[in-house]
Amino acid sequence: MSFVNPLSDPLFAPTAYRMLALLGVALVLLLITERRRLRPIAQNVLLRRWFSWAVLAPLYLCGILSGVGAITVLIAILTFQGLREYAGLVQLPPNYRRVLIVMGLVVAPMAAVSVQGFYMLGPLLLILATLQPLLFGSVKSGVRQLAFAALGWGYISWFLAHIILLARLIEGGVGIVLAILAAVGLSDVGAFAVGTVFGKHKLSPRLSPGKTVEGAIGNFLGAFAGATLMSFALPHDNVIALMIVLTVLVGAGAIWGDLVESAIKREFGAKDAGTWLPGFGGILDRIDSLIIVAPLAYYFLAFTA
């Protein structure tokens, strides 16, 4: 696993300029539209979300451009916090939580050093995981807890690690990852903006009453905007094709991932997965789209390369 200076990457400066410009424009628009609700600022949800983005975006940028080692650390951190929130959300007992987090943290390093080992890891850990109800003596709910723990491991640890595979194995992978992150972020913004202004028709009333068909269209518009913004980072021989592919994959994956997390939260009567990010809830609420988009993008690009 390698670590490099992100400032030396030719993608750093143009990405940073675009990121700062986007954050600046967003802040100006928020100050204009929310001028009557600025006090107290700490309670303004949109401004809190802007602050979260202002912190996360530079961290993502530096992490992705600092080499495979840094990407692995970044994914491991997201995995750790995501699993913590998930374990609390599905009410896993402490012994299952500890095993889930330990097993989950093995995935990112394995993806960074051995693709074959990465693919072998899933069946091996699943076999070992079946020992938990036996060793813990869980009689009434052991199998159910095992099922939710296995789902969390695959859903968060395994899926997120595909970001590392994208960066390592796909031609121009680092630029593609940056484009995916921008497309996912703006996809969520597009869904919120279009859904708030035009939303009338419920997309999935039982799973997520606040989501609308119009908001889903906003997902694709935002994904296209993100892919366009970062088109310079895509491999030059097929920029247009990749922009279209990423728009479809990110738009569909963002809706899919959001509804999957909504289904889990509905199962346990929770509104948010946590309180870690101001304005968003937990880290799992922020990366639910990326969790699904990452493997979709990797396998599509790997099989069509």
Side-chain angles (χ1 to χ4, degrees), residues 101 230 288:
I101 291 174
M230 294 298 297
D288 56 354

Side-chain angles (χ1 to χ4, degrees), residues 1-7 9 58-79 108-109 112-113 160 163-164 167-168 174 177 181:
M1 291 188 293
S2 61
F3 292 86
V4 298
N5 180 2
L7 298 178
D9 194 298
L59 292 177
Y60 282 150
L61 174 60
C62 292
I64 297 301
L65 294 183
S66 294
V68 173
I71 296 174
T72 303
V73 171
L74 175 64
I75 297 302
I77 292 172
L78 294 177
T79 297
V113 299
L160 270 183
I163 292 290
I164 302 171
R168 282 188 61 208
V174 170
V177 169
L181 291 174

Side-chain angles (χ1 to χ4, degrees), residues 103-122:
M103 286 187 171
L105 289 178
V106 175
V107 182
M110 183 59 73
V113 299
S114 172
V115 178
Q116 183 179 7
F118 174 77
Y119 287 122
M120 292 176 61
L121 192 63

Side-chain angles (χ1 to χ4, degrees), residues 165-187:
L165 298 185
L166 273 168
R168 282 188 61 208
L169 304 178
I170 302 300
E171 183 182 358
V174 170
I176 292 173
V177 169
L178 288 176
I180 286 174
L181 291 174
V184 167
L186 289 182
S187 175

Side-chain angles (χ1 to χ4, degrees), residues 26-27 30-31 33-34 37-54 189 192 196 271-272 277-281 286:
L27 180 59
L30 282 177
L31 291 176
T33 58
E34 299 290 303
R37 296 184 290 271
L38 287 178
R39 294 186 179 181
I41 293 179
Q43 296 180 6
N44 188 290
V45 174
L46 293 180
L47 286 175
R48 294 171 69 193
R49 289 183 178 183
W50 181 91
F51 176 78
S52 293
W53 271 121
V189 172
F192 176 81
T196 299
K271 182 180 183 296
D272 294 316
L277 284 178
F280 287 110
R286 185 82 302 273

Side-chain angles (χ1 to χ4, degrees), residues 248-267:
V248 174
L249 291 178
V250 171
I255 298 169
W256 183 351
D258 207 19
L259 289 177
V260 168
E261 195 203 5
S262 293
I264 296 172
K265 289 191 290 189
R266 285 281 172 184
E267 172 81 14

